[in-house]
Amino acid sequence: MNATQEQLKLKLTQALVAAFGTDYTNTDPILVAASNPKFGDYQANVALSLSKKLGKQPRIIAGEIVSKLDVSDICEPPEIAGPGFINLKLQTSYLEAQLNAIQVDSRLGIPTATNPQKQIVDFSSPNIAKEMHVGHLRSTIIGDSISRILKFCGHDVLRLNHVGDWGTQFGMLITYLREVYPEALTTANALDIGDLVNFYRKAKQRFDEDAVFQETSRQEVVRLQAGAEDTLHAWKLLCEQSRQEFQIIYDLLNIELIERGESFYNPLLPKVVEALAATGLLESSQGAKCVFLDGFTNREGNPLPLIVQKTDGGYNYATTDLAALGYRIQEDKAKRIVYVTDEGQSNHFTQFFQVARKANWIPDDVELVHVPFGLVLGEDGKKFKTRSGDTVRLRDLLDEAINRARADIENRLQEDGRTETEEFMQNVAEVVGISAVKYADLSQNRTSSYVFSYDKMLSLKGNTAPYLLYAYVRIQGISRQGNIDFTNLGINRQILLKEDAELTLAKHLLQLDEVIKEVEQDLLPNRLCDYLYQLSDKFNKFYENCPVLKSEEPARTSRLMLCDLTAKTLKLGLSLLGIKVLERM
Ligand code: ARG
């Protein structure tokens, strides 16, 4: 709900109380956006719901409310329609005043949260020596956008990369490293073993075929746990090489993250198990320590346990998450913890959240949220793969998007007979290519799977990054063409709304605060994408219908101001999606 709606709601409540008494202080006036612009902007449906209670016809009730309702500073005189709807239409002068006010504000009139909080967003989180795959790409893009929006709302946001940098697989990797690159372990140099994913595959092969290798690997795990220096050194080398590979992706995507991997919590794991034991929740099942879960059963219909310590003494993914949770609540003082992973992990999160709640570890003022997302599909509707059936390397995926954007710009320049510098073309290609990938992901409701299509995401038409970027460029073009300095439009500048297209654009511009509030709550960035897409669309309609540079004053300046406010809104909105704008493209 935006500020205008809140005011209207308040005034409606006051009218209800004035008409029917203090019993109605908490009655919801049921204020909703009008279903059709010809009925105005909002409608209050409370009269219909009170009919039984008051024993009157809704139209009569609506009349009594309206007779006490004073919205003369915001709306045209209210109208009663149909069975008893109260229709409210915003006054043009009210809209103009709102726009003139936000237009000079760097936050475009969007207030910061009334209760700023420490919030943690746990996202990206790839695994060392394994492929960073499209699932991690989604987590990275969605998590980054959510972090930006929460920060803009005024929260103190900690962006954590819960890297998978610990576990038994390191025994095998280190054993293999000693076997094939013994020299790497004795020099101080960084490791260069080429493709880590390939390395992982080969290590796994050795592990599977050789019993001696398996035993050595197990001993390496024990040595790693015990902190043996040479084993730790090898572990660090492996992590470092992975980290460098991940960083290439983060740099391309302009992502900032603080790495706090699973290994960070390793020393805390025994305490987690002890603390669980102290709550009496811990049970032994075939030598493993576990907590039985409500609402989860195995195939035989028996209660399902969450294992926190295996028979061999080792710990699980969930144990680490329980430790991390404790740390984040107690040390980081987080009040909201958001986990961005594919929906395949939904059970994992429900389960360890449940265990933490049962153990009474979650204070009432702490909120845990799993933000799940669907799969990335190829254009054939199956899991996204390369033509030869391999998983797509993220590096290749992003490069391909940039290369295609580059081909597009070269084509466009040729068609227009324009020439531009190499630097210009490359910058446009990089911004457009990366934005297209991000936007294609963010514009989908994240809970559904989405089809990855370079052609669609790079198209200048439709709900795409290039379409939005182009609307922004168009506005900058107006300023270049008319030699306009948007920051200096004269002292008497005023937004004045006459044409329908101006009013439609104006009303949309005033809805950004509502959209951002929604995303702050439900963490669905696609709502912001929808908003920006509609904004571009409404701007384009305005621009087709209302001449800007060629119109007379005062309309000319007013329209330039609408252009500028649209550009500022696009720029802000896109920045919250992690997308940069271009002045020309
Ligand atoms: N490393 C995990 C994976 O690649 C994701 C970790 C998500 N965060 C967490 N706290 N469990 O699937």
Side-chain angles (χ1 to χ4, degrees), residues 510-527:
L510 290 171
Q511 278 160 19
L512 180 64
D513 59 346
E514 197 179 333
V515 174
I516 289 185
K517 250 192 221 168
E518 266 174 29
V519 185
E520 180 194 1
Q521 278 316 307
D522 57 26
L523 310 174
L524 287 168
N526 63 302
R527 292 178 189 252

Side-chain angles (χ1 to χ4, degrees), residues 171 175 207 211 213-223:
T175 306
F207 185 85
F213 188 99
Q214 281 179 21
E215 186 43 40
T216 320
S217 299
R218 270 182 212 113
Q219 284 162 16
E220 284 292 3
V221 177
V222 176
R223 289 172 58 74

Side-chain angles (χ1 to χ4, degrees), residues 99-117:
L99 289 171
N100 285 318
I102 66 170
Q103 188 263 135
V104 290
D105 174 11
S106 64
R107 294 182 56 88
L108 302 180
I110 297 159
T112 47
T114 41
N115 60 332
Q117 284 179 333

Side-chain angles (χ1 to χ4, degrees), residues 420-578:
E420 296 283 0
T421 62
E422 167 62 27
E423 198 191 342
F424 175 86
M425 291 189 289
Q426 198 49 29
N427 182 48
V428 170
E430 278 168 25
V431 173
V432 171
I434 297 293
S435 308
V437 172
K438 287 188 178 183
Y439 191 84
D441 190 327
L442 293 168
S443 58
Q444 304 292 319
N445 183 319
R446 59 173 162 72
T447 53
S448 45
S449 297
Y450 85 98
V451 175
F452 191 96
S453 157
Y454 289 112
D455 287 339
K456 265 203 201 125
M457 68 177 71
L458 286 165
S459 166
L460 271 173
K461 287 188 213 106
N463 189 7
T464 64
Y467 179 74
L468 301 192
L469 291 173
Y470 193 69
Y472 183 87
V473 163
R474 203 168 185 188
I475 298 172
Q476 304 315 311
I478 298 170
S479 101
R480 280 190 297 274
Q481 201 190 333
N483 237 326
I484 308 290
D485 176 3
F486 278 138
T487 60
N488 189 9
L489 288 175
I491 318 177
N492 294 325
R493 63 208 163 132
Q494 282 292 325
I495 290 182
L496 303 163
L497 305 168
K498 295 260 149 25
E499 303 295 325
D500 278 349
E502 290 175 310
L503 277 158
T504 310
L505 176 62
K507 286 178 185 169
H508 196 72
L509 282 166
L510 290 171
Q511 278 160 19
L512 180 64
D513 59 346
E514 197 179 333
V515 174
I516 289 185
K517 250 192 221 168
E518 266 174 29
V519 185
E520 180 194 1
Q521 278 316 307
D522 57 26
L523 310 174
L524 287 168
N526 63 302
R527 292 178 189 252
L528 178 56
C529 296
D530 275 347
Y531 170 85
L532 294 172
Y533 175 51
Q534 284 177 39
L535 176 63
S536 307
D537 204 40
K538 287 178 172 151
F539 172 77
N540 287 336
K541 295 223 168 77
F542 153 78
Y543 192 59
E544 278 157 29
N545 287 296
C546 305
V548 177
L549 292 171
K550 289 200 180 107
S551 62
E552 300 291 321
E553 290 299 352
R556 186 175 187 265
T557 299
S558 163
R559 288 176 183 173
L560 282 169
M561 288 171 73
L562 276 176
C563 288
D564 182 38
L565 187 56
T566 303
K568 284 180 180 157
T569 308
L570 280 170
K571 186 173 182 175
L572 173 65
L574 287 169
S575 80
L576 297 177
L577 300 173

Side-chain angles (χ1 to χ4, degrees), residues 122 125-127 136 162 164 262 317 321 339 341 345 348-349:
D122 171 324
S125 309
N127 303 315
H136 296 121
H162 190 80
E262 294 183 19
Y317 184 48
D321 261 324
Y339 300 83
T341 79
Q345 298 198 31
H348 162 74
F349 285 98

